[in-house]
Amino acid sequence: MTSIEQIATLATFGAVWAVLSVGHNLADHVIGQTDHQAAGKAAPSAAEVADGVSPRRGWGACLGHVAQYHLVMAVMLTLVWAVLPLRMSFTGLAAELAVSAVTHALFDRRW
């Protein structure tokens, strides 16, 4: 890899990191999650399940939040990609968003 390619790779990494950092705060705290989703996305406790609560309770709120969050992230990344000459691919962005969505949903369930 030439030094120009290395600089372009570093510039892409830096720009994407900045967008994802701002996007995370915007999507998790401003427009990507409702109060209802935040309060209801966690998995029920073992005691609640023993008392008859469905172990699937909260998945709707969790998946709704994850969908809104990643829509915000996708829009922000697409806008930056359209404006800046970054070395990114649609496949790479789709893979990143898919991995992020799956891990985000699992972590937000707070098992």
Side-chain angles (χ1 to χ4, degrees):
M1 186 181 301
T2 68
S3 61
I4 298 293
E5 290 171 328
Q6 289 174 333
I7 291 170
T9 300
L10 287 173
T12 298
F13 175 82
V16 170
W17 178 84
V19 170
L20 293 178
S21 180
V22 171
H24 166 75
N25 287 305
L26 184 64
D28 238 4
H29 306 294
V30 181
I31 60 173
Q33 177 169 240
T34 66
D35 289 342
H36 169 75
Q37 290 168 336
K41 66 186 178 184
S45 68
E48 290 174 317
V49 173
D51 288 341
V53 171
S54 171
R56 293 183 296 279
R57 184 190 76 188
W59 270 115
C62 184
L63 294 177
H65 161 58
V66 169
Q68 284 176 247
Y69 177 99
H70 287 86
L71 178 62
V72 170
M73 297 297 258
V75 167
M76 290 186 68
L77 285 168
T78 301
L79 290 174
V80 168
W81 191 14
V83 173
L84 298 176
L86 301 175
R87 298 168 49 133
M88 299 190 304
S89 70
F90 177 77
T91 306
L93 289 176
E96 178 274 325
L97 289 171
V99 169
S100 177
V102 169
T103 57
H104 193 127
L106 292 175
F107 285 127
D108 269 7
R109 286 292 284 172
R110 296 184 214 116
W111 279 311

